[in-house]
Structures are given as C-alpha cells and as structure tokens.
Amino acid sequence: MPFIHSVRVADPGTHNEHIEAVAVSQLTTGPLRVASRDAVHTDIVRGTRYRTLHPVTHEQTDVVARISPRGTRYIATVANGTETDNLLRLPRF
C-alpha cells in the first residue's frame, strides 16, 4: 500500500485542491517517488488504497479521491475528526 509522506502545493497552499504532487513510498519506510495529484487520484479511483504517514507523529489515515464543484480532481484525507493527520499537515517539498 502506498504511503504519502509529504506534499508539494501551489500558492497559497491552503486547500487540498492546491496539492500538485506528493512524495510516496510503497511501505512505511523505503525510497520515495514523486507522484502527481492526478496520478494518485486515478490510482485511488481504480482501487489502490493510499494512506498518509506523518513523519513525526506517525499518524496515518486513508486518502480519498474527490472532485470539486468546479470539476478539479483532488485528493483528501478521510474526515475522521483528527486534523493532525490531514494531507496539508504533512511536510512540504
């Protein structure tokens, strides 16, 4: 299962729609590769399960594919009442 460790965002970087790419590893440890937001969105729609992995807290949560009212494909964490495991709380690269 792929784990998202960090995100690259477009300015101002305040919404999930601003995520341009993510750094992903196949395991909780291991080499990172960069994947575009669209590639991850497509993978999730096809059935691949992605999770976030915060490098300090080690919190994890599932990532889902969403489409904004304007038609923008984006990714977001599952709403679980825990703000610290959100994609936008991960380190930036």
Side-chain angles (χ1 to χ4, degrees):
M1 165 188 353
F3 289 88
I4 298 173
H5 296 261
S6 57
V7 297
R8 180 183 305 141
V9 296
D11 192 52
T14 55
H15 298 288
N16 285 341
E17 292 92 336
H18 297 149
I19 295 171
E20 296 178 328
V22 295
V24 180
S25 67
Q26 195 56 38
L27 304 170
T28 56
T29 60
L32 296 176
R33 65 178 171 82
V34 176
S36 71
R37 175 188 66 206
D38 285 336
V40 173
H41 187 282
T42 299
D43 282 351
I44 293 170
V45 169
R46 289 181 178 160
T48 301
R49 183 179 178 200
Y50 279 76
R51 290 183 64 81
T52 61
L53 178 62
H54 194 282
V56 176
T57 65
H58 303 288
E59 289 180 279
Q60 298 181 23
T61 195
D62 288 321
V63 178
V64 294
R66 301 245 169 104
I67 300 177
S68 75
R70 295 175 304 190
T72 302
R73 295 171 4 133
Y74 69 98
I75 55 176
T77 51
V78 172
N80 62 4
T82 305
E83 192 172 320
T84 56
D85 64 7
N86 291 341
L87 279 168
L88 292 175
R89 292 293 195 130
L90 294 176
R92 308 286 169 98
F93 71 95

